[in-house]
Every structure is written in structure tokens, then in C-alpha cells.
Amino acid sequence: MTTAGQGTECTPTLLRSLFLFEKLSDEQLDWLCREGSVERFPAGPVYTEGDVATCFYVLVEGAVVLQRRSGDEDVEVERTEQPGVYAGAWHAYLGDRVPQTYNNTLRVTRPSTFFVLDASKLQEMMRQWFPMALHLLEGLFFGIQNTQQAVSQRERLLALGSLSAGLTHELNNPAAAAVRATALLRERVAGMRHKLGMIAGGSLDRVALQSLTAIQEEAAERVAKAPTLTPIEAGDREDALSDWLDEHGIADGWDLAPTFVQAGLDVDWFEQVVARAEAAGLTGALEGAIRWLNYTVETELLMNEIADSTTRVSTLVGAAKQYSQMDRAPYRTTDLHELLDSTLIMLGRKIGDIRVVKDYDRSLPPVPVYAAELNQVWTNVIDNAVAAMEGTGTLTVRTAREGDRALVEIGDTGPGIPADIRNRIFEPFFTTKPFGEGTGLGLDISWRIVVNRHRGDLRVESVPGDTRFQVRLPLEPSADEENE
């Protein structure tokens, strides 16, 4: 703090010239002059954000700058030369019910004069002179605080409900697919047993059965390596294979062909099968062998479907666990990409057909963070980006290193944020969404998590078609966090 010097004499006339005191009586102004003082400050800081709030300052003459800490930077919030402006311990009237610390930094750009009143005297003055106004101010302060907490809790519950509904929907699809595939697999296995009994009861010798089994194993292996075909390619192959099956006397070839094509089996492969079948003496049992192969292929495909479905369920559960940070320490060093990916998975249903581009800097080291709280930040920002694009566009998630900080940038191709409201989007209760669709606390919560909780920085750059929210986080923990 800059050392103050004695200023001019404090007189009722001097104080009455300041708009803050102009309506006070002579007795009240005399009391202020007795309990306070007029002091002169050289250029520099008067007090610093975070220090214990001991004094209330009213500018008599000079030039002041108010600053707030944002991450590693001091951001200027006001600059004025208006006599009578005040700052400092003006929450003293609330007593020990709130932390009595300076919530900004006051600096003077040239030698300036202030009326200075001790915080305890300000509290005494408010309680004795303005009891009704004090009750109103207390009600307003704590009422807004309680409202913000209640709406903030509602915001979290609404987000949780939306995510839960989306997760339930996402889990239902693979679970239903697995149940359906399991029922079909049971039928196919029963059919294979029946067909195997018919083959075994026929006239095939051991060599022929061995050859048929080898063909079956080869078909199963090709299922795992089946290429991905376009609808046109698949249709052409199905037509060709259906014609081939008809030519070889296999009934309902049109019904068998799609399954074989999906498994990667084509006409050339079946020509080889026929050649091997003739060599093994299976010519007369060709149709039975092909239908048995069909059961084999269907069984493999159904097992693949079950594996894919259960893997999808496992992935969603893992993402939900990662998102909620269940069974993990609140503050820990973690890979930001894991947090981003889990959030994108949780919001998958809401993102819908919007194209997602991940531009990750994989060299970015793990960062010490409150992981569950950061996931709430990603959720709020991505949800706003998706809403802005109205179902179509590109969502870009980028990470990079900037000196001693990690950068996470979430961009969208929506209409952008108008310049006249850009500086208000982080204000509590400010929203551009229709009534009932937003509380206006999502970005306020995000700001407090990033700036206050993580000593980071949250800002936005926006033009039509390119809006980017940028989160910067320290790569190293603070001394207090290291001790947690």
C-alpha cells in the first residue's frame, strides 16, 4: 500500500461538496471529520485486492483506477476523476457475516486526496444513522446471494436432469440391441445344432466333415475382417451373389446374400468353396453346407453386435464416471482431454448432427484442477454453442499450451454474440435465451470456477460464424492447492 500523507483539513464544507455526504446534517458531518481524516496519496496502489478491508475511501481530488484480478492479470474495471466516488470497506455494515476483504485493487494515477474512514466507524455510522436503510441493504445483499445460490442449484439440477435423460437414451439403444441380438443368436445356435445333426446323420465321411469345418472357420475369420461397403457397393454384391446362388440351385438366395455380403463373402470366395467341396465329395450336400455357413456367419455377426453394444454401454458408463469424477479426489492432476471427451460423450444426444472437430495438442501435460467443476464449465459452454448453432454447424474443441498456461478453446459456427452484450454475458442472471429456457447463471458459474477457483482466465471472441470461448488454466498448482 502507498503511504498516505496528511491532506487538507477535514471540514463539513469539504465533505458537503461530495455527493455522497451532501444530504447529511452539520452534526453528522462534524462526526465524520472527528472520526475520519483527509489524506494525500502519491501515485500507486492505495489498497490491494484480497487484503483485510480496514478503511473506506472517498475521492476528494485526483484520479483513480479500480482493478480486479483475473487469473494472472489485473483487469481494469473503472477509471475516473469524479469527486465523491468511493471504494474500500463498504461491506463493513454487514459485519462478520461476510469476509471483510477488499474485492478489488484501488490505484491512483497521480497524487490524490481521499476522505478516509475506518471500517468499524463506517459500520457504527450505518447502524446509528440509517437503521432502516441498513435493514434494506442487508435484505438486498443476502436476498440476492440466496437467490443466486438457489437458482445456481436449480441450474445444476436442470443440467443433471438433461444429462441423465440423454445418458438413459444413449444406454437404452445399445442395451436393446444387445437383448435383440441375444434372442436372435439363441435361434441361430439352435438352427446350427439342428443342421449339424442333419449333416452328421448323412453320408459324409470324416474327411468331408473336416473340410466343411475348415470352410466354416475360414468364413468366421472373414467376418472379423469384413470391409465397410457403401450402400451401392453392398447392393451390387448382393445382386451378384443372389444370382450365383440361384444358378447353383440354392433356394431363396436373395435372403441369404445380404448376410454373406455383410460378412465379406463374395462370389469369388464361393467359387473357391464349390471347388473345395467337389474335391471333398460335398457336391450333393452343397445347399446344406451353404445354409450351415449362413448360420455360422449370422452367429458371428450377432456376437459382434452384442460385443459392440456392450462395449458402447461400458464406454457410456465409463464416460459418466469420468464426467462425475466418482471415487476421485476433488483436486488432482488430470488430462484435460479426458475431461473434454467425457463431456462430449455425455452431451452426444444434444449435439446430434453437429460436426465435432477435435484439435488436441497431445503434448499438453496433465493439469492440476478440480476436475468435476471443470466438466461443468465444458458443459455450460458446449451447451450454449450447440444452442447457438440450432442443430447444424461445426463445434471445434482445441487445446494448446501458452507459456505457463493451458488453453482450451471451444468454438462454434453460430451467429455470434452481438458486441453490445458481449461484456455482459458473464453477469449473473443475464441470458439471451427465451423466458424459461435459461437462468443466466451458466457462464457466471463457469467464470467463478475458472477465475476464482482455478486462478485462470475465461474470455470470448466472437464474430458471425466464429465464436470462441477461451479457458486458460495454470499448469502449476498454487501453494495453497499443493497443501490440499
Side-chain angles (χ1 to χ4, degrees), residues 344-356:
L344 289 170
I345 291 174
M346 293 294 290
L347 293 174
R349 182 164 176 258
K350 182 169 287 189
I351 292 173
D353 295 330
I354 291 174
R355 179 171 173 255
V356 178

Side-chain angles (χ1 to χ4, degrees), residues 119-229:
S120 62
K121 295 300 180 180
L122 176 66
Q123 182 183 27
E124 178 185 343
M125 179 194 76
M126 292 291 292
R127 293 189 178 281
Q128 291 182 0
W129 296 358
F130 312 110
M132 181 176 177
L134 181 62
H135 288 306
L136 292 174
L137 285 171
E138 289 176 339
L140 178 64
F141 180 87
F142 290 111
I144 291 177
Q145 190 176 68
N146 293 337
T147 299
Q148 185 168 341
Q149 290 175 350
V151 177
S152 175
Q153 182 67 17
R154 179 176 178 271
E155 179 96 358
R156 291 185 175 93
L157 291 173
L158 287 173
L160 179 61
S162 177
L163 289 173
S164 298
L167 180 61
T168 301
H169 177 81
E170 292 291 337
L171 286 171
N172 181 67
N173 288 339
V179 170
R180 182 181 64 254
T182 301
L184 292 173
L185 180 61
R186 189 184 301 276
E187 294 178 6
R188 297 306 182 269
V189 170
M192 284 187 67
R193 289 197 302 267
H194 176 70
K195 186 63 66 177
L196 179 61
M198 292 177 60
I199 293 176
S203 58
L204 298 180
D205 57 20
R206 182 171 60 86
V207 175
L209 282 174
Q210 287 177 340
S211 179
L212 183 58
T213 302
I215 294 172
Q216 180 190 35
E217 290 296 327
E218 183 180 332
E221 291 177 2
R222 290 180 70 94
V223 171
K225 303 175 183 178
T228 301
L229 304 175

Side-chain angles (χ1 to χ4, degrees), residues 405-421:
R405 295 192 294 180
L407 167 68
V408 176
E409 184 178 75
I410 298 173
D412 68 73
T413 55
I417 303 172
D420 59 336
I421 66 169

Side-chain angles (χ1 to χ4, degrees), residues 109-120:
T109 58
R110 57 182 171 84
S112 302
T113 303
F114 290 88
F115 171 73
V116 183
L117 185 65
D118 187 81
S120 62

Side-chain angles (χ1 to χ4, degrees), residues 206-322:
R206 182 171 60 86
V207 175
L209 282 174
Q210 287 177 340
S211 179
L212 183 58
T213 302
I215 294 172
Q216 180 190 35
E217 290 296 327
E218 183 180 332
E221 291 177 2
R222 290 180 70 94
V223 171
K225 303 175 183 178
T228 301
L229 304 175
T230 65
I232 294 177
E233 291 173 334
D236 291 342
R237 293 194 183 192
E238 289 173 12
D239 291 340
L241 185 55
S242 178
D243 292 341
W244 185 91
L245 292 171
D246 291 342
E247 291 170 2
H248 287 76
I250 311 299
D252 299 327
W254 58 269
D255 191 32
L256 302 176
T259 301
F260 287 134
V261 169
Q262 185 181 354
L265 308 180
D266 54 17
V267 171
D268 292 340
W269 187 82
F270 275 100
E271 288 288 358
Q272 298 175 21
V273 168
V274 170
R276 291 164 63 183
E278 291 176 349
L282 288 169
T283 305
L286 180 62
E287 181 170 2
I290 287 179
R291 293 193 180 279
W292 191 36
L293 285 176
N294 182 65
Y295 281 123
T296 300
V297 169
E298 283 189 318
T299 300
E300 290 295 323
L301 292 174
L302 288 170
M303 286 193 293
N304 286 347
E305 184 176 347
I306 292 171
D308 291 342
S309 299
T310 52
T311 298
R312 175 63 177 163
V313 170
S314 178
T315 299
L316 286 168
V317 172
K321 188 174 182 181
Q322 169 71 19

